[in-house]
Amino acid sequence: ENREDMLSSKSNRLTEALEEANKLFSGVFCAREAALDAQFLVLASNLGKEKANELHSEMTAFDSLAFAEDLLTFMGINRIEVEENDSDSEGISGGYLPGDAWHKLGEETEKYFRRAPSFHYMLGSFKSDPPVPRQRIERQRKATGGEGKRAMPAQLKKMEESHQEATEKEVERILGLLQTHFKNDPDTPISFFDLVIDPNSFARTVENIFHVSFIIRDGFARLKLDDDKLPIIEPSKDNEGMDDHSAGARNQVVISLNHQEWK
């Protein structure tokens, strides 16, 4: 109802209404009263925006074109010697700047800059310090005795023995599984790939083939092809493996198995 009066620059009605609303808000307890306060805040904000737009600061706006024109005039541009054909297009005024135009501008702007801006290195100073001399470490002379030479071969021999023991234990474990399977079902040979392939690990599959090769090499088991030309493995019978091993009746077989074939 008092919109025009509140928008007047000489009236303080809007400020008084805001002060009264702040006092009333301290006693708000219900949601409806809070909604009315929010509605009043929206109306007061709109009135304040309209009142601010009607204010006149009477400040002159910066005109870049006028500034450029004054700057060229200060630098001493000469527009008299301009020929008509030199103008690129209509509305663009040409001219010639004297040789010392930029020097003159620099002398004038130098007054407003007392000092040059400081320079900061992004990755530290370029000043290099002399390198720190390295301390010369004297090499220990080699012992003339044979104690130092015996240490490393003994350690390597121990490592080889531990690795060999682990291989032998795994070979014995696989041979035990193979013999247990044939003891339960002696008439059904097991597929070689069913025995060695680990569906969850390609590396484990290669290790299994490696360990099974020892069993076949020592004559404890043998490989042959079934009706589908697929390899099957079965343990050797009593004294059969030792006879074959002593007679040398063995053949070498190379199996190619890449990661895609394993999948």
Side-chain angles (χ1 to χ4, degrees), residues 175-190 235:
L175 179 59
L177 294 175
L178 188 63
Q179 292 175 348
T180 302
H181 172 77
F182 274 90
K183 189 179 294 184
N184 297 330
D185 191 3
D187 297 330
T188 305
I190 187 172

Side-chain angles (χ1 to χ4, degrees), residues 184-207:
N184 297 330
D185 191 3
D187 297 330
T188 305
I190 187 172
S191 172
F192 174 76
F193 293 114
D194 288 344
L195 177 67
V196 298
I197 288 181
D198 187 343
N200 299 321
S201 174
F202 176 72
R204 184 64 178 169
T205 301
V206 175
E207 289 183 357

Side-chain angles (χ1 to χ4, degrees), residues 38-76:
Q39 184 179 0
F40 166 76
L41 183 62
V42 174
L43 293 175
S45 300
N46 294 332
L47 291 174
K49 180 180 178 181
E50 293 182 14
K51 192 171 184 179
N53 291 333
E54 292 179 359
L55 295 178
H56 298 284
S57 59
E58 297 181 356
M59 294 178 62
T60 56
F62 177 74
D63 189 358
S64 58
L65 296 178
F67 174 75
E69 188 68 25
D70 294 340
L71 190 62
L72 291 174
T73 303
F74 173 78
M75 295 171 68

Side-chain angles (χ1 to χ4, degrees), residues 196-257:
V196 298
I197 288 181
D198 187 343
N200 299 321
S201 174
F202 176 72
R204 184 64 178 169
T205 301
V206 175
E207 289 183 357
N208 292 338
I209 296 176
F210 173 73
H211 293 143
V212 171
S213 65
F214 286 99
I215 299 176
I216 299 174
R217 183 200 65 178
D218 296 335
F220 293 106
R222 60 182 180 181
L223 280 177
K224 61 182 181 179
L225 299 180
D226 59 3
D227 297 335
D228 298 328
K229 302 299 181 180
L230 294 176
I232 56 176
I233 185 172
E234 59 183 7
S236 301
K237 298 180 181 179
D238 295 340
N239 299 328
E240 182 181 358
M242 298 301 296
D243 295 341
D244 293 342
H245 181 68
S246 59
R250 292 178 297 159
N251 295 323
Q252 273 191 329
V253 178
V254 179
I255 296 178
S256 174
L257 182 67

